[in-house]
Amino acid sequence: MHLEEKKAKDLFQDRIFTISNFLSISRVLLLPFFFQSTYEFAKNPNNKTAFFLSVIYCLAAVLSDYLDGLFARLLKQETTLGRYLDPVCDKLVTLGGLTVANIHFQFPIWVLIVYTIREILGVWLGGFLYLKRGLQGRPNWWGKFGVGIVAVSVLWYMSVPYFVLNGTNYPILLKPEISAYVLMLVLVLGVFAYTIRYWNIVLHPESIELDPENKKQAKKYQKI
């Protein structure tokens, strides 16, 4: 089975209006509310309502990320569009969260820049694989772990003013930069893993022959 190009319109041949796709979009729609509540909390750390709303919005986004994949499998609603929509929504939400953490809570700008570049390259790679190779890349554990670390980091940075104001018996809670360094490590390892996985497909497609029965290949990417 050889590699072949696809057209963007082919993404919309499957079902579009599914519960899974709705959940993916819903976490992007939460962003304006998250922006507003974090702004109110950053302006006034005594505003506990704004703080807890920010935490709820963040946790709701994490929960929707888990549920969209679960419902897609349970309801047999897995589609090519959905498999692209989910990571794109993840990128928008994680970038939004880290940007808020940088603006209001001193998240390192250099980590945000590196993360942004990595996400832009991820979108390019996904589009290239689909349009030029007719493949859909499978997420690896580094990518999934990275999204989780982003959520932890945003929550941690956002909580520091609350810990300072209300006191804490655990000094480590005032060192959210630990999560930023862990995120950088995960980003580097993830980029390395993706480079190994897709190097030949991007640069030497003539050397690739897909076998539908090859389970090792199926873990890396699937023919569309």
Side-chain angles (χ1 to χ4, degrees):
M1 185 181 295
H2 296 284
L3 300 174
E4 59 184 25
E5 296 184 5
K6 302 287 287 185
K7 296 184 182 299
K9 65 180 182 180
D10 295 336
L11 277 172
F12 302 97
Q13 290 182 345
D14 293 328
R15 295 175 62 185
I16 297 176
F17 300 104
T18 65
I19 293 177
S20 178
N21 289 349
F22 171 77
L23 286 171
S24 294
I25 294 294
S26 70
R27 60 180 174 273
V28 177
L29 297 178
L30 284 174
L31 277 177
F33 301 100
F34 178 71
F35 293 157
Q36 179 62 31
S37 60
T38 50
Y39 170 76
E40 294 294 336
F41 174 62
K43 186 173 62 175
N44 177 18
N46 284 305
N47 190 338
K48 293 184 178 181
T49 299
F51 171 71
F52 286 116
L53 281 175
S54 298
V55 172
I56 290 171
Y57 294 142
C58 191
L59 294 178
V62 173
L63 181 61
S64 74
D65 189 24
Y66 169 75
L67 291 178
D68 63 6
L70 178 64
F71 280 119
R73 292 188 295 272
L74 290 179
L75 302 177
K76 302 186 186 306
Q77 294 181 343
E78 293 181 283
T79 63
T80 301
L81 175 62
R83 284 189 288 266
Y84 277 111
L85 188 63
D86 178 42
V88 168
C89 290
D90 282 345
K91 295 178 192 308
L92 292 174
V93 171
T94 52
L95 283 172
L98 290 179
T99 299
V100 165
N102 168 256
I103 293 173
H104 297 307
F105 307 109
Q106 301 181 333
F107 182 84
I109 184 64
W110 65 272
V111 178
L112 175 58
I113 291 173
V114 172
Y115 188 85
T116 301
I117 293 173
R118 186 262 190 193
E119 295 299 80
I120 291 173
L121 290 176
V123 171
W124 172 85
L125 178 61
F128 181 88
L129 289 175
Y130 179 80
L131 295 173
K132 298 299 184 181
R133 302 292 183 258
L135 296 174
Q136 187 162 49
R138 301 269 193 186
N140 64 20
W141 282 107
W142 293 114
K144 294 178 180 179
F145 189 47
V147 172
I149 294 297
V150 168
V152 170
S153 192
V154 170
L155 283 170
W156 196 344
Y157 271 90
M158 187 175 66
S159 299
V160 168
Y162 181 85
F163 294 145
V164 170
L165 192 64
N166 294 278
T168 175
N169 295 322
Y170 305 97
I172 194 173
L173 292 179
L174 302 180
K175 298 183 181 296
E177 59 271 15
I178 294 173
S179 64
Y181 297 140
V182 172
L183 177 59
M184 272 302 303
L185 176 62
V186 171
L187 289 179
V188 171
L189 293 174
V191 168
F192 182 70
Y194 275 115
T195 300
I196 293 176
R197 177 180 293 189
Y198 297 117
W199 182 268
N200 283 335
I201 289 180
V202 172
L203 297 179
H204 306 289
E206 70 283 351
S207 66
I208 302 296
E209 181 70 24
L210 294 184
D211 179 4
E213 303 301 323
N214 189 320
K215 294 182 180 180
K216 186 176 181 180
Q217 284 185 342
K219 289 182 179 180
K220 296 181 179 179
Y221 35 73
Q222 67 179 50
K223 182 77 174 178
I224 299 172

